[in-house]
Amino acid sequence: MNTSTMQLKFDPTLPYQRAAIDAAVGLFAGQPLEDSAFSVSLNTRGMLLSEQGLGNNLLLDQDAIFANLQRVQEANGVPKASNLLGRDYAVEMETGTGKTYVYLRTAFELNATYGFKKFVIVVPSVPIREGVLHSISIMRDHFRTLYGAPFDHFVYDSKQVGKLRAFATANTLQLMVINIQAFQRDIGEGEAAGASNVIYRELDRLSGQRPIDFLRATRPIVIIDEPQKMSGAASAAAIARLEPLCTLQYSATHTGSAPRIYKLDPIEALDQKLVKKIEVASIREEESFNDAFVRLLKVEAARSRAQIEINVQKDGTVKQQKKFVKARDHLHHLSGERQEYANGFIVSEIRFEPGNEYVAFSNGRKVGLGETAGGFTDDVMRVQIRETIKEHLEKEKRLRPHGVKVLSLFFIDRVANYRVYNDDGSWSLGKIGQWFEEEFRSLTAQPTYLGLIADPVEQVHNGYFSQDRRGGYRDTSGTTKDDDATYALIMRDKEKLLSFDEPLRFIFSHSALREGWDNPNVFQICTLRESGSETERRQMIGRGLRLPVNQSGERIHEEQINRLTVVANESFKTFASGLQSDYERDGITFGKVAREAFANVAIQRDGQSVPLGQDDSRRLWTHLHAKGYFDAQGVIQPAFDPTNHLFKLDVPPEFDAVAPQIVDTINRFVFSNRIVDARKRQPIRFRKEVILDPEFKALWDKVSQKTRFRVAFDTEALIADAAKRIHAAKPILPPAIAIERADLTPTLAGISVQETRETYSDISRQFPIPDVLAYLQNATELTRHTLAQILIQSGRAEEIRTNPQAFITMALTEIQAA
């Protein structure tokens, strides 16, 4: 198939998209179709200028709009507004469900229904702007087929402000896309005119008029893409200066106060199978404490200290713990005198310079912010790469017959880890690039994958990184202007990447791609980072949630195909917990029964089955709260226990017939591990008569005295018994990297985790042998001779080389039990 001819197909009948469109259209129910031009007068500095223009003209009063708003909210199951404070409305749609399609089609529908013609799309960044323009380009024929109306679109450019005159005077549907930065800066009192954006300046080429006045004259409907990225006062003031007829705000993560008119959250999107299901492949090292492990978590300049994570020994066990350190602190002491920190791990310097934070030690070792010294970072990353390639190949085998090309996306923390650029312009592969090619060759040579991908390994992977002025690639945060060209390049290649004719399948990017780029055929996302700084998980998985397409550009809706695998370097439980925290930061609540939760419960009224509605749902919620079934925040309490065969939900008589539905609704919010059965708690009461009993007093007088015990034991018997126990203990295994898999499902109660399987990859490495006898002597107070005889007679002393710390832990346990 020729990659230049691929066209994505759009289904105009999807109910959830239609509902989101109807929500915006319903706000203006009763507005007559307006199809006439009106005169626009511009008054600038006392001069009256007249120009013909066409603007949106709203004829409804506030009461009519408020009634429409409440009607729309009731229909879509979102909380009804108590008043109308402005004309700002929010549409919440989960990433990957077609938000851009919805708001573009909403403009066409508003034009067809009411004659509104002027729309301004405000975006927070160049990548999102490029994504919008790309969407308009590929949807143009689709919208012409649906509506048949001519339309124009353009990007605001301060060097081509004349286009605003055409925008104002055109009598057809007009879409203007503009970055918020282009009109954020108006001049303040006492400031020079040149300090403002061009859009606020009087210009000769516009006959002394200001570009902003042409926009104001049209009373545009302003569509705001990702409003949470423009939540500051300057952005709000800039949008207000457009004097919009209304604003329609579209995002998956609303943070503002605009009333929602439609909501499609992650739970509903997954329930309706509108996005891929999430599977986590967790790649992490099993507890191995044989190295001097140090991770720098943060620095605090104000307190001249840093927080690090190290291996700490206490009571015979070793765990990673966080410690604050200052200059001259010795990790040997902080670690419980672990020997691997004895030589030179004294803090010699803490650097607080932003972008160059680190902790240096007297032995010359230096650990940067988020970096790790010791441990198996490289081993873990290599296994991550191998698992991602393996998962990719498995899906390639299954999906090729369906005409679906598989893509994998890697996030790395340093460009140099993937590709090294030299001063003469040449480059070579960094360690990640080398590992990828080695693992790819190894896996594709296996019989099961042989011939699956015929393209040379050099052509199947590539990196998208930001360039500096000399053409070199460098690390960036993902939010700088240098990143814009990087993301634009990926977006231009969206359809090209979907074709089997394009060999590129594995994409490496330095930072988590921001909103504005995703690809429907990303099935694997792998996080390769040496740093502990965490990318927001929700943003990361958003790059691959969209449903895939085949070579004809048609969406695939088969649930078994639509699975996004995240290959992470943390446990799946940690990933799930972090993902749930991301959702909660974005305003999505789990495990709390909302006051509107029962609005869709079907009840018989006047011989018809109708929804309960939000007003009755709130009334029912108040009753159930008063009965103690949940607290003021909606968190379910132990009084709600439908597992008890004697349980009967106490509801008002009018709701008796639907009590089972109400119970089922509440059950969807239950966090089973957070609810404690109050009936199983046994109160313990103080009985004073026991204390006064003579027999108890006599016993207490005997046992309450301070006593010194002396234990005599047979050394030879102890050695023999301990050696026997160590000999019979389980074999010492080498340190391993655990590969765990689990399905993650957002539910009303929280992120549900269903573990599927676990495998291990052993690490073959020689470890420094610590003073085992010293460790054991400190913990047992036995002599070194006795301990040496125990280990020799056990016949297992050689296993110390396999995994020193594991052997010490095992030996200590058996000696103490002897």
Side-chain angles (χ1 to χ4, degrees):
M1 179 176 179
N2 191 322
T3 58
S4 63
T5 62
M6 174 174 281
Q7 295 289 327
L8 293 178
K9 293 182 173 60
F10 302 95
D11 183 353
T13 66
L14 297 176
Y16 75 95
Q17 292 185 344
R18 183 73 242 188
I21 296 165
D22 289 345
V25 175
L27 290 170
F28 306 103
Q31 164 82 8
L33 180 64
E34 178 65 50
D35 196 28
S36 60
F38 61 90
S39 178
V40 178
S41 295
L42 302 178
N43 193 335
T44 305
R45 296 185 181 272
M47 297 177 64
L48 183 63
L49 304 172
S50 295
E51 291 214 3
Q52 282 301 105
L54 188 68
N56 300 322
N57 188 17
L58 183 63
L59 300 178
L60 297 179
D61 61 24
Q62 292 291 90
D63 290 341
I65 292 177
F66 181 55
N68 286 339
L69 172 63
Q70 288 204 317
R71 191 178 303 113
V72 165
Q73 290 175 321
E74 179 77 63
N76 289 316
V78 294
K80 292 193 295 187
S82 58
N83 52 56
L84 189 65
L85 298 177
R87 292 185 187 164
D88 303 313
Y89 311 103
V91 174
E92 181 176 322
M93 295 185 70
E94 173 64 345
T95 301
T97 58
K99 165 176 62 72
T100 306
Y101 174 88
V102 165
Y103 71 62
L104 289 175
R105 186 171 169 188
T106 296
F108 282 88
E109 197 71 28
L110 289 171
N111 172 253
T113 308
Y114 307 119
F116 296 141
K117 293 181 171 68
K118 305 302 167 68
F119 297 85
V120 174
I121 302 171
V122 180
V123 298
S125 65
V126 170
I128 293 180
R129 184 193 72 196
E130 292 301 309
V132 173
L133 294 175
H134 183 77
S135 295
I136 294 174
S137 174
I138 64 176
M139 296 174 189
R140 177 176 289 274
D141 291 342
H142 173 75
F143 289 138
R144 281 177 173 166
T145 300
L146 284 179
Y147 297 97
F151 75 95
D152 297 302
H153 81 279
F154 72 101
V155 177
Y156 169 79
D157 185 343
S158 61
K159 296 178 182 178
Q160 299 181 24
V161 292
K163 289 186 176 181
L164 290 180
R165 189 194 299 270
F167 175 84
T169 58
N171 194 26
T172 56
L173 177 62
Q174 300 290 303
L175 303 173
M176 185 185 85
V177 185
I178 185 170
N179 284 72
I180 186 67
Q181 295 83 1
F183 66 106
Q184 249 180 345
R185 177 71 173 162
D186 196 3
I187 57 173
E189 186 177 351
E191 291 183 298
S196 67
N197 291 122
V198 172
I199 202 169
Y200 296 111
R201 302 178 194 173
E202 297 173 355
L203 302 175
D204 291 339
R205 58 185 182 275
L206 291 179
S207 304
Q209 300 169 27
R210 300 185 307 165
I212 188 67
D213 292 324
F214 285 93
L215 285 181
R216 286 174 172 165
T218 66
R219 293 294 309 284
I221 292 177
V222 175
I223 294 171
I224 305 176
D225 195 334
E226 303 296 349
Q228 77 280 1
K229 303 286 186 181
M230 300 174 274
S231 58
S235 296
I239 292 170
R241 286 193 289 269
L242 297 177
E243 298 181 4
L245 182 145
C246 72
T247 69
L248 299 174
Q249 306 176 14
Y250 292 80
S251 176
T253 55
H254 285 283
T255 57
S257 59
R260 285 164 175 74
I261 58 174
Y262 178 79
K263 180 180 179 182
L264 179 68
D265 63 24
I267 301 167
E268 293 161 335
L270 194 62
D271 284 347
Q272 297 183 43
K273 300 178 176 58
L274 305 177
V275 293
K276 294 191 186 90
K277 187 175 179 63
I278 304 167
E279 174 189 69
V280 175
S282 167
I283 315 295
R284 58 183 178 82
E285 61 184 82
E286 288 286 88
E287 292 186 354
S288 173
F289 305 105
N290 299 302
D291 294 332
F293 172 85
V294 182
R295 177 184 287 127
L296 176 58
L297 302 174
K298 64 180 179 180
V299 296
E300 296 181 357
R303 305 180 71 173
S304 300
R305 67 179 188 175
Q307 187 182 47
I308 63 174
E309 192 170 25
I310 61 174
N311 294 336
V312 177
Q313 180 163 326
K314 185 178 180 180
D315 299 329
T317 61
V318 184
K319 294 183 179 180
Q320 289 181 356
Q321 292 185 6
K322 298 175 183 178
K323 299 282 187 179
F324 279 103
V325 295
K326 293 188 174 185
R328 305 305 300 162
D329 281 349
H330 202 317
L331 300 195
H332 182 243
H333 171 69
L334 295 175
S335 67
E337 299 187 354
R338 286 188 60 79
Q339 293 179 14
E340 55 265 35
Y341 296 107
N343 297 319
F345 274 95
I346 301 172
V347 178
S348 59
E349 180 187 6
I350 302 176
R351 190 69 173 263
F352 302 100
E353 179 187 350
N356 190 34
E357 302 95 334
Y358 63 79
V359 170
F361 298 97
S362 57
N363 58 11
R365 300 186 74 169
K366 185 170 70 174
V367 183
L369 183 61
E371 293 181 349
T372 298
F376 303 135
T377 302
D378 281 3
D379 302 271
V380 169
M381 287 199 293
R382 181 151 190 160
V383 172
Q384 282 183 269
I385 292 170
R386 182 177 180 85
E387 283 298 306
T388 303
I389 298 172
K390 184 177 179 181
E391 187 68 32
H392 181 111
L393 295 174
E394 286 290 335
K395 286 181 182 170
E396 186 106 20
K397 280 173 57 179
R398 295 202 312 270
L399 302 188
R400 184 180 287 270
H402 296 270
V404 177
K405 180 184 174 183
V406 178
L407 300 175
S408 293
L409 179 60
F410 294 84
F411 293 129
I412 65 175
D413 63 344
R414 294 176 186 165
V415 173
N417 282 342
Y418 175 71
R419 189 177 290 161
V420 179
Y421 293 90
N422 304 314
D423 293 337
D424 62 1
S426 63
W427 60 269
S428 57
L429 290 175
K431 63 182 182 182
I432 287 176
Q434 292 176 23
W435 294 338
F436 174 86
E437 292 199 351
E438 290 167 3
E439 296 294 347
F440 182 86
R441 290 191 180 99
S442 172
L443 284 167
T444 53
Q446 294 181 4
T448 186
Y449 305 127
L450 196 61
L452 185 61
I453 299 179
D455 303 300
V457 64
E458 297 82 4
Q459 296 181 18
V460 301
H461 70 107
N462 203 353
Y464 290 82
F465 308 119
S466 301
Q467 289 182 283
D468 58 25
R469 294 180 180 178
R470 295 179 297 175
Y473 290 84
R474 63 191 188 88
D475 300 336
T476 52
S477 65
T479 58
T480 68
K481 290 184 177 180
D482 292 323
D483 294 293
D484 293 342
T486 307
Y487 302 133
L489 177 61
I490 300 177
M491 285 183 286
R492 284 197 299 269
D493 287 344
K494 260 189 177 181
E495 283 72 46
K496 179 181 177 182
L497 289 173
L498 295 172
S499 170
F500 286 130
D501 292 341
E502 168 57 51
L504 180 61
R505 287 168 166 82
F506 300 89
I507 299 168
F508 289 80
S509 179
H510 169 256
S511 53
L513 299 176
R514 296 167 292 175
E515 292 87 347
W517 187 89
D518 54 19
N519 193 293
N521 287 18
V522 169
F523 285 89
Q524 288 75 230
I525 293 177
C526 179
T527 57
L528 298 172
R529 59 178 187 267
E530 290 183 333
S531 66
S533 58
E534 296 186 2
T535 301
E536 286 190 5
R537 295 165 182 83
R538 189 180 183 190
Q539 178 179 334
M540 178 183 69
I541 65 174
R543 303 314 108 211
L545 282 180
R546 197 176 297 275
L547 295 183
V549 299
N550 60 22
Q551 296 299 285
S552 298
E554 299 165 335
R555 296 283 175 192
I556 303 295
H557 295 279
E558 295 183 33
E559 187 176 2
Q560 294 306 311
I561 289 177
N562 299 332
R563 299 178 71 88
L564 172 66
T565 302
V566 180
V567 183
N569 54 1
E570 59 188 350
S571 74
F572 61 80
K573 292 180 180 177
T574 301
F575 186 93
S577 175
L579 180 60
Q580 181 165 319
S581 296
D582 285 352
Y583 283 135
E584 290 172 338
R585 280 195 296 271
D586 291 336
I588 298 171
T589 58
F590 295 100
K592 297 179 182 178
V593 182
R595 285 170 169 78
E596 299 78 23
F598 310 106
N600 291 327
V601 170
I603 191 169
Q604 290 291 324
R605 285 176 175 166
D606 298 326
Q608 292 184 327
S609 179
V610 297
L612 199 59
Q614 291 191 28
D615 293 339
D616 278 345
S617 177
R618 291 193 184 100
R619 188 162 61 86
L620 175 59
W621 189 98
T622 301
H623 172 87
L624 296 173
H625 166 53
K627 294 297 181 180
Y629 294 122
F630 30 77
D631 65 14
Q633 285 72 46
V635 177
I636 300 169
Q637 299 300 298
F640 179 78
D641 183 18
T643 61
N644 186 335
H645 70 283
L646 299 176
F647 174 79
K648 184 178 185 299
L649 189 70
D650 184 340
V651 297
E654 63 190 285
F655 300 122
D656 277 340
V658 293
Q661 294 182 55
I662 296 170
V663 170
D664 289 343
T665 300
I666 299 174
N667 261 330
R668 297 179 65 197
F669 295 87
V670 170
F671 256 167
S672 59
N673 60 330
R674 292 188 180 181
I675 297 178
V676 178
D677 188 346
R679 286 175 294 278
K680 293 182 179 179
R681 292 184 299 195
Q682 297 294 327
I684 299 175
R685 295 182 178 87
F686 174 71
R687 296 175 60 190
K688 188 175 182 181
E689 61 271 20
V690 172
I691 301 298
L692 299 178
D693 184 81
E695 292 184 6
F696 176 83
K697 189 174 185 303
L699 174 64
W700 178 251
D701 289 340
K702 291 180 180 179
V703 301
S704 63
Q705 304 302 313
K706 184 179 292 186
T707 306
R708 175 174 295 176
F709 294 91
R710 176 170 297 176
V711 179
F713 57 83
D714 186 330
T715 301
E716 294 303 320
L718 172 66
I719 292 173
D721 189 17
K724 182 179 179 180
R725 295 183 65 90
I726 292 174
H727 181 79
K730 292 182 179 180
I732 297 297
L733 300 176
I737 294 175
I739 305 171
E740 301 172 309
R741 289 184 179 273
D743 291 336
L744 303 189
T745 305
T747 69
L748 291 172
I751 302 294
S752 169
V753 179
Q754 182 179 0
E755 186 175 358
T756 54
R757 61 188 171 90
E758 182 174 12
T759 60
Y760 290 88
S761 176
D762 290 338
I763 299 172
S764 298
R765 183 186 296 180
Q766 293 295 320
F767 299 100
I769 305 300
D771 189 340
V772 176
L773 297 181
Y775 273 116
L776 296 176
Q777 187 175 27
N778 290 336
T780 64
E781 296 187 1
L782 297 175
T783 66
R784 292 177 66 92
H785 175 77
T786 298
L787 292 167
Q789 288 301 310
I790 291 173
L791 298 184
I792 292 170
Q793 291 185 28
S794 74
R796 296 184 60 180
E798 280 299 314
E799 292 184 58
I800 295 173
R801 300 180 185 276
T802 303
N803 192 331
Q805 185 58 51
F807 185 90
I808 291 171
T809 301
M810 178 274 291
L812 178 59
T813 300
E814 301 303 332
I815 292 171
Q816 289 176 332

